[in-house]
Amino acid sequence: MTGGGESTRPGSGQAPDAYGSTFGAVYDDWYPPEFAHGAEAVAALARYAGRGEALELGVGTGRIAIPLARRGVRVHGVDISPDMLERLRAKPGGHLVRTVLADMADPGGCDLGRRFALVYSVFNSLFCIPGQARQAASLAVAARHLAPGGRLVVDHQMPSHVAPGLSVRHFHATDDEVRFTLVDCDPVTQVMKRRTVAVTDDGVTSYPSVIRYVWPAELDLMAAAAGLVLASRTADWAGTPMRPGSPGCVSVYRHRTDRGEVPH
């Protein structure tokens, strides 16, 4: 698979479903279930869901949704990429996740007609929507699907090395592959144009993508516009307090009218 067929859309540099078509073939190899503390994420999300149902926005290949469903949580997953959903359904346990092909940033087109005890977006799925208006729309979609007393959980990396211009990041090397990412960052729009280059015995393959990083304070404002308020924020799934330099951020939101305690 190559990235030479990258689609474009005015204002973003890529089509809404470009990530899945570009990275689908390599996603599970690059990001296995244990990547980025996947087991801790699943355990925490299971506590938030309790006996209720869960909805993952940007479910991808089911890296989190399938093990969460195996814990007995009834999981629904929305994704704009048919490639990703096809790979999810082909996995062992994929049948446990009820998938919907829809754009999580389209309030008019993403409506499951029901509400959930837990709505969640993990591992920078929000960043893969490369525009502030569409990111805000995805939080409105989340709020619409959140049941009274329910929780929205958003997990993302903290932005780092956001100086303007081109840089090389995320170098990775094994006996079979060398991989690195070229990043062109615009701190004004918070948009990063990225190109991951994989070098193997078969040749060189390029995987382009565009993301827009979000600071926690901006995320809170977008959530507030959707009628949500911050219930808690930690640096990771284990509950580590946020500090300067924390690499990650797990934010939990509730409806503004809710006053219930956050499960732990």
Side-chain angles (χ1 to χ4, degrees):
M1 176 178 179
T2 65
E6 182 187 19
S7 301
T8 60
R9 182 173 61 85
S12 73
Q14 67 175 6
D17 61 347
Y19 187 90
S21 59
T22 301
F23 287 89
V26 297
Y27 188 87
D28 288 323
D29 291 332
W30 291 3
Y31 309 114
E34 64 273 15
F35 185 84
H37 305 285
E40 292 181 7
V42 170
L45 291 169
R47 291 194 295 271
Y48 283 117
R51 296 185 178 181
E53 298 185 20
L55 170 64
E56 180 170 353
L57 298 178
V59 69
T61 64
R63 186 176 75 92
I64 298 297
I66 292 175
L68 183 60
R70 283 178 168 154
R71 282 177 167 258
V73 179
R74 188 177 176 91
V75 181
H76 300 248
V78 167
D79 206 282
I80 197 173
S81 170
D83 300 86
M84 291 293 212
L85 293 182
E86 182 178 354
R87 294 176 187 280
L88 183 158
R89 290 190 289 265
K91 287 182 175 181
H95 66 285
L96 299 173
V97 181
R98 295 145 186 87
T99 59
V100 177
L101 180 65
D103 182 355
M104 63 183 268
D106 179 8
C110 186
D111 188 351
L112 276 64
R114 59 193 305 171
R115 294 191 174 194
F116 299 86
L118 169 67
V119 180
Y120 67 95
S121 176
V122 296
F123 191 42
N124 295 334
S125 290
L126 186 70
F127 286 12
C128 292
I129 303 173
Q132 186 188 59
R134 283 174 51 78
Q135 288 174 336
S138 72
L139 293 180
V141 168
R144 174 198 295 170
H145 288 90
L146 196 63
R151 294 294 183 266
L152 166 65
V153 180
V154 181
D155 157 56
H156 62 83
Q157 293 175 324
M158 288 293 292
S160 61
H161 307 294
V162 294
L166 191 66
S167 61
V168 179
R169 306 183 196 174
H170 312 303
F171 184 84
H172 172 86
T174 66
D175 292 339
D176 302 319
E177 180 185 59
V178 173
R179 190 168 71 240
F180 59 92
T181 302
L182 299 170
V183 178
D184 188 2
C185 178
D186 181 354
V188 175
T189 61
Q190 298 169 208
V191 170
M192 289 183 176
K193 296 179 180 179
R194 310 192 305 175
R195 186 171 294 273
T196 299
V197 179
V199 183
T200 67
D201 290 340
D202 296 326
V204 179
T205 308
S206 175
Y207 302 86
S209 61
V210 180
I211 69 168
R212 181 181 185 273
Y213 59 86
V214 176
W215 298 100
E218 182 186 8
L219 184 63
D220 292 348
L221 285 174
M222 292 192 290
L228 304 171
V229 295
L230 185 69
S232 68
R233 172 169 286 136
T234 57
D236 53 33
W237 295 105
T240 304
M242 288 288 296
R243 296 186 176 91
S246 292
C249 180
V250 178
S251 303
V252 181
Y253 297 94
R254 58 172 174 79
H255 283 297
R256 187 177 292 117
T257 55
D258 288 341
R259 293 292 183 268
E261 293 295 323
V262 178
H264 295 284

